[in-house]
């Protein structure tokens, strides 16, 4: 853990490093509530943005070298690249398991069929203590009770923002939302 923190501190800006510590702490809290392995949650929380400060050229070069497939959708929504490539770096450098890699890989878009660890990281990233936006307090509280509802609210907010700004929407996010709605309907 210490080694990871040291590495991260060297490669990230101070504010992103702080965000990473915030996600680590929030992931730990949520892991306790939802009975997920705490060490794994902390490590993924800490390192989820490990590739966030690389350039597009560096992403492409890294992906080429390591046979990571970048889809056309990924290219349109470049935020997915730091997640995909970050997952690979975490495997290579710190021996992340498949499940931990998935939690890094899908922390931006989400996807249908997320594990509880993936959900925790997706949510911790958006509600860690350093995040400041209208409604974050409510989401933080709700995250302790109903994590799916928080994911739904986050994805809706992001989709509406994308629509308003005429930005593309990643199909994985749509698939995640559809699954949540299906589960909601079947549990009524
Ligand atoms: Fe990220
Ligand atoms: Fe993040």
């Amino acid at each position: 853990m210490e080694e990871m923190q040291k590495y991260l501190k060297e490669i990230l800006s101070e504010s992103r490093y702080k965000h990473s510590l915030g996600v680590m702490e929030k992931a730990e809290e949520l892991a306790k509530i939802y009975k997920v392995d705490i060490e794994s949650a902390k490590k993924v929380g800490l390192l989820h943005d490990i590739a966030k400060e690389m350039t597009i050229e560096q992403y492409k070069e890294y992906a080429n070298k390591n046979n990571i497939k970048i889809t056309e959708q990924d290219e349109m929504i470049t935020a997915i690249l730091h997640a995909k490539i970050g997952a690979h770096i975490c495997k290579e450098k710190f021996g992340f398991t498949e499940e931990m890699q998935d939690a890094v890989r899908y922390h931006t878009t989400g996807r249908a069929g997320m594990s509880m660890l993936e959900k925790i990281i997706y949510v911790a990233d958006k509600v860690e203590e350093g995040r400041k936006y209208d409604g974050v307090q409510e989401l933080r509280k709700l995250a302790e009770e109903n994590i799916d509802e928080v994911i739904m609210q986050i994805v809706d907010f992001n989709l509406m923002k994308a629509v308003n700004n005429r930005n593309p929407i990643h199909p994985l996010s749509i698939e995640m939302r559809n699954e949540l709605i299906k589960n909601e309907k079947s549990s009524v």
Side-chain angles (χ1 to χ4, degrees):
M1 205 76 178
E2 235 168 74
E3 190 199 337
M4 293 179 185
Q5 290 198 18
K6 215 178 126 204
Y7 177 79
L8 207 62
K9 206 171 175 177
E10 263 166 37
I11 61 160
L12 292 186
S13 62
E14 206 183 310
S15 61
R16 185 151 288 114
Y17 180 69
K18 257 185 90 185
H19 162 67
S20 303
L21 293 179
V23 178
M24 176 177 80
E25 277 167 32
K26 185 53 75 180
E28 179 179 12
E29 273 174 48
L30 294 174
K32 284 179 188 159
I33 295 170
Y34 292 104
K35 313 251 179 299
V36 162
D37 182 66
I38 291 169
E39 278 305 295
S40 305
K42 284 175 74 176
K43 286 178 188 170
V44 178
L46 180 68
L47 296 183
H48 76 287
D49 272 341
I50 193 167
K52 184 82 181 190
E53 293 181 7
M54 288 165 69
T55 63
I56 301 268
E57 285 68 37
Q58 287 173 323
Y59 289 140
K60 289 196 169 159
E61 203 188 310
Y62 189 95
N64 264 336
K65 257 197 201 146
N66 295 283
N67 276 321
I68 299 169
K69 223 180 128 212
I70 307 286
T71 65
E72 207 179 312
Q73 311 285 352
D74 295 343
E75 284 215 43
M76 284 178 77
I77 302 158
T78 48
I80 182 82
L81 295 176
H82 83 277
K84 251 188 177 173
I85 285 167
H88 194 276
I89 296 174
C90 287
K91 179 180 79 172
E92 294 296 303
K93 274 204 173 314
F94 299 107
F96 272 27
T97 63
E98 276 303 319
E99 199 202 359
M100 288 162 78
Q101 289 172 55
D102 282 341
V104 176
R105 192 174 287 124
Y106 299 109
H107 82 265
T108 310
T109 55
R111 63 161 173 168
M114 286 202 285
S115 70
M116 189 49 87
L117 176 64
E118 290 175 60
K119 290 182 182 184
I120 283 174
I121 299 302
Y122 182 90
V123 169
D125 184 30
K126 323 299 184 290
V127 306
E128 57 100 357
E129 295 301 322
R131 292 278 197 199
K132 307 228 180 324
Y133 53 86
D134 276 350
V136 68
Q137 298 278 43
E138 288 75 12
L139 283 185
R140 251 177 225 141
K141 227 180 139 350
L142 191 57
E144 296 170 8
E145 289 144 31
N146 188 347
I147 199 160
D148 282 352
E149 177 56 30
V150 175
I151 294 173
M152 188 72 192
Q153 291 192 20
I154 292 167
V155 77
D156 276 354
F157 179 82
N158 288 340
L159 292 187
M160 282 190 279
K161 203 166 76 183
V163 169
N164 287 334
N165 296 330
R166 285 185 91 87
N167 282 335
I169 293 167
H170 203 287
L172 286 174
S173 303
I174 306 280
E175 285 168 25
M176 172 172 76
R177 187 173 184 280
N178 286 349
E179 183 191 60
L180 289 170
I181 290 175
K182 197 174 116 198
N183 292 346
E184 223 172 65
K185 297 231 152 93
S186 63
S187 68
V188 176

